Amino acid sequence: MVAVSPKPEIEARSTARPGQIEHARQIEARKLSRRSFLRVGVFAGLTLSMGAFIASFLGFFNLRKPTGFGGIVVVTAAQVPAAGDDPARITSGKFWLSNNSGAQGDVLGSGATGGLLALYWKCPHLGCTVPWNPTFDGATVSFPGIIGWFRCPCHGSTYSHAGVRVFGPAPRSMDTMALSVNGDGSLSVDTGKITLGGEDALREVAYAV
Ligand code: FES
């Protein structure tokens, strides 16, 4: 029988000194940490690229919510119209801020006593943006003597200063948003809290403030 001599590699390992082994370990550890660093870097780069891609995709197709709409929109005291004045357009919240003097706008006589309303500008009929027309004559819609109405350009639905529907195919009055007055006279309008407008004269106007 022929004796098998040990392989040179195994022999070399077995004869390495402790200092050499430690040095080899340090080199291996350095290689590992470099690999981990590269992996983290690649992952972070991919995440950032993906985020930028999604942001530009949403921006391109205009899928991001307009600033403010959907959350709380603050209206400064200076933006609040005086009672009886034309409503103020608050673009960031997509609403009209209407300040009604007494029963102004309560054209169907539901007993409203006046105050502020945040009227969602989306027409309850098919969703067109409803503008305020300060010169529209109420005589056209059987309310002579009242000048200034919300009048939808799409199919003619007509709403009073308080958003009460008096004419057109819209199924109800303008919708309202929750509103509260802050200590400094500014208002906080919660554009995510929308109450559907009344469908009849009995519950047409419920002023928020
Ligand atoms: S969308 Fe306003 S009346 Fe039709």
Side-chain angles (χ1 to χ4, degrees), residues 122-130 151-159 167-170:
K122 183 178 174 183
C123 183
H125 181 219
L126 294 179
C128 292
T129 298
V130 181
R151 174 95 169 160
C152 184
C154 294
H155 312 98
S157 286
T158 307
Y159 311 88
F167 178 85

Side-chain angles (χ1 to χ4, degrees), residues 43-195:
F43 180 74
L46 281 175
T47 306
L48 283 174
S49 310
M50 187 64 81
F53 172 76
I54 290 171
S56 58
F57 176 84
L58 292 177
F60 182 78
F61 290 104
N62 200 23
L63 295 175
R64 273 187 290 199
K65 283 180 180 173
T67 309
F69 183 69
I72 303 287
V73 169
V74 174
V75 180
T76 65
Q79 287 177 290
V80 179
D85 281 3
D86 287 341
R89 181 186 164 105
I90 310 296
T91 304
S92 60
K94 299 189 176 186
F95 63 87
W96 289 95
L97 183 63
S98 172
N99 195 353
N100 299 274
S101 171
Q104 181 187 25
D106 183 16
V107 288
L108 299 182
S110 66
T113 53
L116 292 163
L117 287 169
L119 299 167
Y120 188 16
W121 70 28
K122 183 178 174 183
C123 183
H125 181 219
L126 294 179
C128 292
T129 298
V130 181
W132 170 253
N133 184 337
T135 58
F136 186 78
D137 188 344
T140 316
V141 288
S142 306
F143 287 88
I146 303 177
I147 305 298
W149 294 78
F150 291 102
R151 174 95 169 160
C152 184
C154 294
H155 312 98
S157 286
T158 307
Y159 311 88
S160 74
H161 196 273
V164 176
R165 179 189 60 83
V166 296
F167 178 85
R172 59 179 188 271
S173 294
M174 292 171 79
D175 301 336
T176 55
M177 296 169 171
L179 180 158
S180 59
V181 182
N182 303 316
D184 61 358
S186 65
L187 307 176
S188 291
V189 177
D190 190 342
T191 61
K193 270 193 190 163
I194 295 175
T195 302

